[in-house]
Amino acid sequence: MNSILKKMSFTYPKNEKLKSKITIGLLFTEGKSVAKYPLRLVYNAGTFGEGEKIKIGVSVSKKYFKKAVDRNYFKRVLRETYRLNKHLLLDNLDQPYSFMFFYQCKEKLSFEEINTKTIQLFEKFVLQIKQSNVKFEEEETK
């Protein structure tokens, strides 16, 4: 077990941060969405630099949290849950994806609850990607 954990990288490096306005724009115009209340993941397949598989940004609505302190806290929590669980995405992606990760409710959930929901959301995303790949392959064979 320890050897597996040593091999996995629990980091959130600068090259995984979604900063491109063009990519963010494409996410909202062409992206698909998967949700597990209170989290939502908007995703779109894309191409990045050499060896980059994921670009991710986080967002917390001003509508639900008026104070920047609260929004920043939940953004930190989202980044941390992503960092701890990104292996669920990396192990199942066959092409690069960009993501926007949202916290969308007024309730102030604990870190443990958000982490559990993040795992469920990532698993739901992987399932959705696999189903869409199967449909795509079936259409190609027709």
Side-chain angles (χ1 to χ4, degrees), residues 60-76:
V60 179
S61 177
K62 197 185 252 188
K63 176 180 172 183
Y64 299 123
F65 297 102
K66 303 293 182 207
K67 295 180 181 174
V69 171
D70 295 331
R71 289 194 302 276
N72 290 339
Y73 168 76
F74 283 102
K75 287 193 280 187
R76 275 197 306 276

Side-chain angles (χ1 to χ4, degrees), residues 33-54:
S33 176
V34 62
K36 186 71 181 172
Y37 182 83
L39 304 175
R40 192 169 126 229
L41 193 67
V42 176
Y43 64 93
N44 192 22
T47 55
F48 312 120
E50 190 75 24
E52 294 178 358
K53 278 191 114 175
I54 289 181

Side-chain angles (χ1 to χ4, degrees), residues 71-87:
R71 289 194 302 276
N72 290 339
Y73 168 76
F74 283 102
K75 287 193 280 187
R76 275 197 306 276
V77 170
L78 289 178
R79 282 191 292 266
E80 183 67 4
T81 58
Y82 160 73
R83 185 184 72 81
L84 294 173
N85 299 300
K86 72 177 182 178
H87 63 274

Side-chain angles (χ1 to χ4, degrees), residues 99-116:
F99 299 100
M100 195 59 133
F101 194 17
F102 296 96
Y103 185 85
Q104 296 186 302
C105 78
K106 285 182 182 170
E107 299 167 44
K108 294 184 177 184
L109 299 179
S110 70
F111 174 82
E112 288 77 20
E113 291 172 307
I114 295 172
N115 194 41
T116 304

Side-chain angles (χ1 to χ4, degrees), residues 22-39:
I22 295 168
T23 307
I24 293 170
L26 283 173
L27 267 175
F28 291 109
T29 56
E30 299 174 8
K32 295 181 183 91
S33 176
V34 62
K36 186 71 181 172
Y37 182 83
L39 304 175

